[in-house]
Amino acid sequence: MAMCTLAPALAPEASTASPFSAAYERLTEVFPSLRITEVRDAGDLPRGGGWVRAAELAGGGAALDAFLAWDDEQVRRDYGERARPDVVASFGLHRYAWSACLLVTLPWFLHRRVPRVPVESVAYDRASGRLAVCVREFSCLPGDPAAALPGARVVEGEEALRAAVREAAAEHLGPVLDGFRPHMRRGPRALWGMATDEITEGLWYVGHLLGEERRAMAEAELLLPGSVAPFPRGAAFRELSGPDGETYSTRDRASCCMFYTLRPEDTCVTCPRTCDADRVRRLSGSRA
């Protein structure tokens, strides 16, 4: 049986590295708030303290209640009021899914390797910004040195690899969405719209940090060109023009984070509630 952390038989000094180490280390370099640790067996995923298994979130119950209690307390502490339970759940799902999607999308973006990460293989500590993952199988292209490793599945071409990204993301997110759904006033289509946003905006943001924002946007458009089951919307980037002819990239989220229920005047710049004039004003201000 293949070990979870797949060590490539390359140069001796690289013998303990997995096919994903470089991507996850690069993420921490540009975004220190999120750190990813690989473990050799799912039984080695951390427990206790602030850690929760993704499978526990998917199962609902006490583990998910405790997870959402963190969001409830954060809202009361930072905004001095209680949020609706479905808003709390929306915050918690966003904060988990945004990070978890990068387990799949970043190795694909940087190295054209797509790990499978079912919920049984991931744990999360939100307080410290840490993910732990056990990878048994992954997809890659012909000619990749990692293709010779146990657990590798070689696919023919970029579109097949993009399909593997969508499959891996859906495999992980599907059970998690099911776990959160009783806490939210949203049906399956709206929840998968949230998944579309987390995939797109996580890759977009980290691509910007890497100095490859335009490529990240182009890759996201190819990955999610429109409605591709189970994702109901595409990445859907578009350009806005400023008063002096400058351009700004934006998109309309397929879902809403519900922050407006706490601060109606302070919406996300990609929120469908934010008009284009406000987007240009805010984006031009941030550029200045």
Side-chain angles (χ1 to χ4, degrees), residues 1-87:
M1 187 174 81
M3 297 295 284
C4 282
T5 299
L6 299 156
L10 301 175
E13 62 272 17
S15 61
T16 59
S18 88
F20 314 104
S21 297
Y24 295 153
E25 290 169 3
R26 186 75 179 108
L27 173 63
T28 300
E29 288 175 8
V30 299
F31 189 53
S33 298
L34 181 60
R35 293 173 290 159
I36 298 172
T37 301
E38 295 176 82
V39 301
R40 289 189 172 275
D41 188 270
D44 296 331
L45 289 169
R47 288 186 181 276
W51 288 96
V52 62
R53 304 284 180 98
E56 294 175 315
L57 298 180
L64 181 56
D65 290 342
F67 184 82
L68 294 177
W70 191 97
D71 295 280
D72 185 49
E73 173 58 30
Q74 179 264 321
V75 168
R76 285 188 291 166
R77 181 181 66 248
D78 293 353
Y79 303 108
E81 59 183 288
R82 294 290 299 267
R84 295 189 330 231
D86 62 304
V87 174

Side-chain angles (χ1 to χ4, degrees), residues 13 32 178 204 222 259 265 286:
E13 62 272 17
D178 288 342
W204 184 18
L222 292 170
F259 186 69
E265 73 285 353
S286 65

Side-chain angles (χ1 to χ4, degrees), residues 7 14-15 21 54 60 118 133 135 157 161 197-198 234 245 257 268 272:
S15 61
S21 297
V133 62
V135 179
L161 200 63
D197 292 332
E198 308 307 351
C257 71
C268 303

Side-chain angles (χ1 to χ4, degrees), residues 170-181:
E171 178 184 32
H172 184 85
L173 293 174
V176 174
L177 298 181
D178 288 342
F180 275 81
R181 185 179 174 187

